[in-house]
Amino acid sequence: MSGLRAPNFLHRFWTKWDYAISKVVFTCADSFQWDIGPVSSSTAHLPAIESPTPLVTSLLFYLVTVFLWYGRLTRSSDKKIREPTWLRRFIICHNAFLIVLSLYMCLGCVAQAYQNGYTLWGNEFKATETQLALYIYIFYVSKIYEFVDTYIMLLKNNLRQVSFLHIYHHSTISFIWWIIARRAPGGDAYFSAALNSWVHVCMYTYYLLSTLIGKEDPKRSNYLWWGRHLTQMQMLQFFFNVLQALYCASFSTYPKFLSKILLVYMMSLLGLFGHFYYSKHIAAAKLQKKQQ
């Protein structure tokens, strides 16, 4: 009997949890005048779309785990650890997988946009474009998987990388793409998904090379000199997204509230990445020059 009670208990718990989370999310969306309903027929049948609870649960687990893990590491006296072989192999596979997945999503979104006769911006969402909706859905799910990036940083005891910018970006982008995948997985959303996927091809290629080469390899600078330009590419991406949001909010039939969310969000990322770029590449260079 105990074996039967556990599934029933979990089912009742999830039902109540789902009701509470959904009520909070949809109430907040209404207060912001975000028209996140109805669910698009092109993605309604897919997991973690109709209800926000699977995503929110993943987000809460991510944030609590990172907070507790980070706190434990900051209190630890052993700041330097030897990277185990299994972790290095996992990082290589993780980065290689995301390179292939990002390229797949980028090319898929571009190909569908071409087949559907899209212009650069100003494209209407159509629920009949199910293949593009599938690419958008995969892109949304990939944002949840990318939480692993943070876990890798913590496993490596690399606390410097676990910054406010990193946590903010990873925790918010998945929620925004849940709204897009739920409400309008197509139309103008193709541009952001394709552009971000291409940037991630470059980013995870950099991470893969960094892992393969190693920190002490004298050839490191020959292959990884373009790290600064990678940040510039990310900032250029956000700039194009800001322009897209301004254009679509004025001229596109794509849901206006999504264009407004995109505008505010990309401006915040542009500011945060700009501060990061200045601190790492400009201010640090000035300080080094003074010390010389």
Side-chain angles (χ1 to χ4, degrees), residues 103-119:
L103 186 60
Y104 168 76
M105 294 186 294
C106 177
L107 295 179
C109 287
V110 171
Q112 285 300 305
Y114 177 78
Q115 291 179 20
N116 296 332
Y118 281 9
T119 56

Side-chain angles (χ1 to χ4, degrees), residues 4 103 182:
L4 296 175
L103 186 60
R182 185 182 197 275

Side-chain angles (χ1 to χ4, degrees), residues 133-233:
L134 180 60
Y135 284 117
I136 297 296
Y137 173 78
I138 295 172
F139 184 81
Y140 150 61
V141 174
S142 74
K143 296 305 166 190
I144 302 175
Y145 174 74
E146 286 172 11
F147 291 167
V148 175
D149 288 352
T150 314
Y151 300 143
I152 288 174
M153 293 172 186
L154 291 169
L155 284 169
K156 294 174 65 176
N157 211 355
N158 195 345
L159 301 184
R160 180 181 57 83
Q161 285 187 293
V162 188
S163 61
F164 171 79
L165 167 59
H166 177 85
I167 301 299
Y168 168 75
H169 182 43
H170 275 267
S171 58
T172 52
I173 193 67
S174 56
F175 189 81
I176 291 173
W177 278 97
W178 169 73
I179 298 175
I180 295 172
R182 185 182 197 275
R183 177 67 175 82
D188 282 318
Y190 94 92
F191 180 82
S192 297
L195 182 59
N196 184 252
S197 294
W198 173 248
V199 170
H200 277 208
V201 170
C202 300
M203 184 179 77
Y204 287 108
T205 298
Y206 182 90
Y207 292 159
L208 179 61
L209 289 174
S210 179
T211 304
L212 290 173
I213 295 171
K215 293 182 179 180
E216 307 302 328
D217 196 312
K219 296 180 180 178
R220 185 177 180 84
S221 59
N222 295 336
Y223 297 98
L224 299 175
W225 55 268
W226 49 284
R228 175 173 184 161
H229 301 294
L230 181 60
T231 307
Q232 293 172 346
M233 181 188 294

